[in-house]
């Protein structure tokens, strides 16, 4: 395998000018990611993006986003109708070919424009049994939550403790959509959305954009003092139907984690795409994360869920840990109902 | 297996979006249309004028701002057009052949598409023909502006119709870059 490193990560601030277009959320973000490592759009040899038309109800909206990357003269690019983490996976595969060294990955989403994410995400379900009954992602997550609480003996108070901690960690962050000062007791006064999930248990869907620069081989060290080398990356899928799975475990996450080498040397930080609190418990167990691992020090998806960007941000946050001198971290992304599909990316610093 | 064994089920779905949500720039563009003014943004690097303004130049990939605003002419050139023969289906209001044209306004580098060319007989339509915008009376403009802004592109139906200026046509070479 060819060594590939994340050398830069940039995220658009949560607070956007009113009436901002998605392209204009991305343009300065991509410029920043490249400028951080002394690059311009001319240095990029492959571009891959992640977004979903269903969020804004547009068609081929990724074509407009591409203008933020600069597509003239013509560039080599690809797009996934998924979270940007999968775009990063494709870019990593592309760099394995060996003929190009620099890839740009970006993702964007405007979850605020749909009627509600609960309605919109219903369309990701099979059209025969699940979509017609309007099985929205929060209701499905609540079924999972109930199963997790029953099996683990955890309580709603335990969930509230997790949320309070994530919010505290993210307090003052420009990427948090929630206040940081609520205690677990305060949070337990919140209403149920779908029992046992209360409002604080669901990461608030927000608009977002992020960009990552990947560089292969020695060139990564030339542009970045402490590149976050991709030690392993893998993605796996469980069956689509929640009804045929044990929702209290995530076999696909476990498998992806093993293939990505999470157990080989452990990690200091794990950034998990848990958009509902109990998902964090399921993921931490699947990845074998002990008490010594800092889970979602950024606050994770429980403080803001920029849909289609959330997973890429988790990988970016893991890379930031290495940029800052950390030795190993993982970023996780998820897609589909009840953590159906999962991607794990392990990054590490090397001397 | 016979068809008798197949059961059909109706499943109607609906999602309501808050868009088209006009950007601030689109709203400003619409306000100017209400004054019968068409504005664009001139890229500070390559000098191309984008109309409607997008807030950036996709070729140079730089942002453009109010400082780059320019007014373009309401006169222009038909760079290409289509004659459309309507097939009758429920909701189809057109019954006769009609023309939609693409127009390059003087002072702009981008064209406006899907312009209704009702004011010009089909037999007279030519690539390169010089035309001018005829605006609706001021009192009627607000509605058409809203419509155009919500389209997010071009002028929508802000202009009442286009009429020939009578100037000599531009040559094919002069409009070759703007046919699409």
């Amino acid at each position: 395998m060819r060594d590939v490193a994340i050398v830069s990560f940039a995220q658009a601030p949560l607070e956007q000018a009113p009436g901002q277009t998605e392209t204009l959320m991305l343009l300065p973000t991509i410029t920043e990611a490249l400028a951080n490592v002394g690059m311009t759009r001319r240095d990029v040899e492959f571009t891959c993006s992640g977004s979903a038309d269903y969020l804004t109800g547009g068609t081929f909206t990724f074509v407009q986003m591409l203008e933020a990357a600069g597509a003239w003269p013509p560039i080599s690019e690809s797009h996934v109708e998924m979270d940007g983490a999968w775009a990063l996976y494709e870019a990593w595969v592309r760099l394995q070919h060996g003929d190009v060294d620099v890839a740009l990955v970006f993702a964007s989403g405007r979850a605020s424009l749909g009627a509600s994410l609960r309605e919109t995400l219903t369309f990701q379900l099979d059209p025969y049994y699940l979509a017609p009954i309007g099985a929205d992602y929060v209701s499905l997550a609540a079924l999972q939550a109930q199963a997790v609480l029953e099996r683990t003996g955890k309580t709603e108070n335990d969930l509230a403790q997790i949320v309070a901690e994530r919010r505290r960690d993210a307090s003052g962050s420009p990427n948090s959509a929630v206040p940081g000062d609520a205690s677990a007791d305060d949070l337990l006064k919140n209403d149920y959305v779908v029992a046992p999930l209360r409002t604080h248990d669901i990461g608030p869907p927000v608009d977002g954009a992020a960009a990552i620069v990947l560089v292969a081989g020695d060139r990564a060290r030339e542009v970045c003092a402490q590149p976050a080398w991709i030690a392993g990356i893998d993605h796996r899928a469980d069956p689509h139907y929640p009804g045929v799975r044990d929702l209290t475990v995530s076999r696909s996450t476990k498998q992806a984690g093993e293939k990505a080498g999470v157990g080989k040397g452990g990690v200091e930080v794990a950034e998990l795409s848990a958009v509902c609190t109990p998902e964090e418990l399921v993921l931490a167990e699947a990845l074998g994360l002990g008490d010594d691992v800092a889970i979602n020090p950024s606050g994770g998806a429980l403080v803001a869920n920029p849909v289609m960007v959330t997973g890429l941000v988790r990988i970016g946050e893991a890379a930031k840990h290495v940029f800052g001198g950390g030795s190993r971290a993982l970023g996780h992304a998820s897609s589909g109902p009840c953590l159906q599909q999962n991607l794990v990316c392990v990054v590490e610093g090397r001397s | 297996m016979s068809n008798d064994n197949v059961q059909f089920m109706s499943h109607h779905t609906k999602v309501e979006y808050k868009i088209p949500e006009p950007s601030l720039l689109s709203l400003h563009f619409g306000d100017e249309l209400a004054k019968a003014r068409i504005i664009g943004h001139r890229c500070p690097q390559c000098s191309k004028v984008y109309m409607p303004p997008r807030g950036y130049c996709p070729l140079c990939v730089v942002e453009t701002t109010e400082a780059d605003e320019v007014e373009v002419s309401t006169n222009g050139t038909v760079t290409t057009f289509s004659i459309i023969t309507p097939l009758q289906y429920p909701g189809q209001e057109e019954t006769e052949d009609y023309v939609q044209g693409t127009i390059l306004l003087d002072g702009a580098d981008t064209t406006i598409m899907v312009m209704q060319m009702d004011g010009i007989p089909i037999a007279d339509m030519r690539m390169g023909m010089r035309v001018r915008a005829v605006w609706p009376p001021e009192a009627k403009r607000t509605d058409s502006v809203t419509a155009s802004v919500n389209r997010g592109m071009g002028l929508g139906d802000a202009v009442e119709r286009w009429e020939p200026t009578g100037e000599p046509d531009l040559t094919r070479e002069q409009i070759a870059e703007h046919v699409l």
Side-chain angles (χ1 to χ4, degrees), chain A residues 18-19 23-24 41 54-57 67-68 70 72 110 112-115 119 123 132, chain B residues 9 11 13-19 21-24 54-56 58-59 61-63:
Chain A
T23 307
L24 277 172
R41 287 168 170 84
Y54 273 88
L55 288 185
T56 52
E67 294 195 331
W72 184 264
R110 299 202 64 194
S112 70
L113 293 182
E119 264 183 57
F123 290 92
Chain B
M9 167 181 93
H11 169 211
T13 58
K14 181 179 83 167
V15 186
E16 283 178 19
Y17 291 93
K18 289 175 201 154
I19 54 167
E21 178 198 62
S23 68
L24 288 185
R54 311 170 183 202
Y56 62 96
L59 299 184
V61 202
V62 292
E63 289 180 61

Side-chain angles (χ1 to χ4, degrees), chain A residues 46-67:
Chain A
F46 179 68
T47 300
C48 197
S49 58
S51 66
D53 279 356
Y54 273 88
L55 288 185
T56 52
T59 47
F60 294 99
T61 51
F62 74 92
V63 178
Q64 288 157 37
M65 308 329 156
L66 209 48
E67 294 195 331

Side-chain angles (χ1 to χ4, degrees), chain B residues 1-177:
Chain B
M1 197 170 84
S2 78
N3 277 346
D4 295 345
N5 295 328
V6 179
Q7 292 192 3
F8 289 88
M9 167 181 93
S10 292
H11 169 211
H12 301 281
T13 58
K14 181 179 83 167
V15 186
E16 283 178 19
Y17 291 93
K18 289 175 201 154
I19 54 167
E21 178 198 62
S23 68
L24 288 185
L25 197 50
S26 295
L27 288 172
H28 174 57
F29 181 71
D31 287 345
E32 295 299 313
L33 283 182
K35 298 176 206 157
R37 271 167 47 95
I38 302 176
I39 58 146
H41 276 185
R42 185 188 300 281
C43 171
Q45 282 188 24
C46 70
S47 297
K48 281 196 191 300
V49 172
Y50 293 90
M51 184 288 304
R54 311 170 183 202
Y56 62 96
C57 168
L59 299 184
C60 303
V61 202
V62 292
E63 289 180 61
T64 58
T65 66
E66 222 168 90
D68 304 305
E69 183 176 311
V70 291
E71 183 175 355
V72 303
S73 175
T74 59
N75 286 18
T77 306
V78 175
T79 63
T80 189
F81 63 92
S82 298
I83 301 170
I84 297 158
T85 302
L87 289 173
Q88 293 310 308
Y89 54 82
Q92 166 66 273
E93 289 171 3
E94 303 284 352
T95 54
E96 303 299 322
D97 286 5
Y98 64 100
V99 175
Q100 289 190 334
T102 298
I103 295 170
L104 177 67
L105 293 176
D106 298 349
D109 288 285
T110 56
T111 55
I112 38 173
M113 301 168 76
V114 210
M115 288 287 101
Q116 293 283 114
M117 306 303 294
D118 299 346
I120 304 171
I122 293 179
D124 293 347
M125 285 301 306
R126 301 179 304 276
M127 289 170 76
M129 174 190 266
R130 298 283 296 154
V131 290
R132 75 163 69 89
V134 179
W135 299 88
E138 210 170 327
K140 275 192 171 177
R141 275 187 213 146
T142 316
D143 282 342
S144 50
V145 167
T146 311
S148 74
V149 168
N150 282 340
R151 294 279 286 267
M153 56 191 293
L155 301 181
D157 50 7
V159 169
E160 189 170 85
R161 64 192 156 86
W162 297 88
E163 63 181 20
T165 65
E167 296 164 281
D169 289 2
L170 263 56
T171 63
R172 298 280 169 108
E173 289 69 30
Q174 284 172 301
I175 59 172
E177 292 284 313

